[in-house]
Amino acid sequence: MDLVVTEDGAPALRIALSGRLDAAGAEKIEAEFANRIAKAGRGVIVDMSGVSFVGSLGIRLLISNSRSAQRAGHRVVLCGVQPAVAEVFATVALDELIPTVADEAAALALLAA
């Protein structure tokens, strides 16, 4: 699991994930992911287009950090979710907890609303 952060002065912090967000992948990025979201001070877009699999610990990672952002008055939006991952998210109703949109433009629009 790889994590790439884009800090370009945009209205939202962009975090791109790639690989498998399984137990090992979640453990690998957990500290940096949480730190980046906690210090973002603005909305966060998580680009999931490079994620081929999400397991229970990956879901926990997304939910816990989204809740942390909400407590700080910010939002996390997921975008670019692949069909296999979207099916898992639908099964666990993740989209009821974290907004999920098609692409970065839609994520930016949602954060601006």
Side-chain angles (χ1 to χ4, degrees):
M1 173 59 52
D2 292 313
L3 176 149
V4 176
V5 178
T6 304
E7 296 201 46
D8 56 5
L13 178 69
R14 182 177 181 274
I15 300 175
L17 301 179
S18 61
R20 293 175 54 89
L21 194 51
D22 52 12
E27 182 180 340
K28 181 178 177 184
I29 66 163
E30 185 170 21
E32 184 176 0
F33 189 76
N35 186 43
R36 294 294 188 147
I37 288 178
K39 292 183 178 182
R42 55 190 163 157
V44 177
I45 297 170
V46 180
D47 181 349
M48 302 282 293
S49 61
V51 177
S52 59
F53 175 85
V54 176
S56 59
L57 290 179
I59 292 168
R60 182 191 61 79
L61 173 86
L62 295 170
I63 292 171
S64 65
N65 285 285
S66 177
R67 287 184 176 157
S68 294
Q70 288 174 344
R71 285 192 294 274
H74 306 293
R75 295 171 74 186
V76 173
V77 178
L78 306 178
C79 72
V81 178
Q82 297 300 312
V85 174
E87 188 175 320
V88 172
F89 287 177
T91 300
V92 299
L94 185 71
D95 58 346
E96 293 179 18
L97 300 172
I98 306 171
T100 303
V101 297
D103 55 33
E104 189 172 340
L108 285 168
L110 185 60
L111 289 172

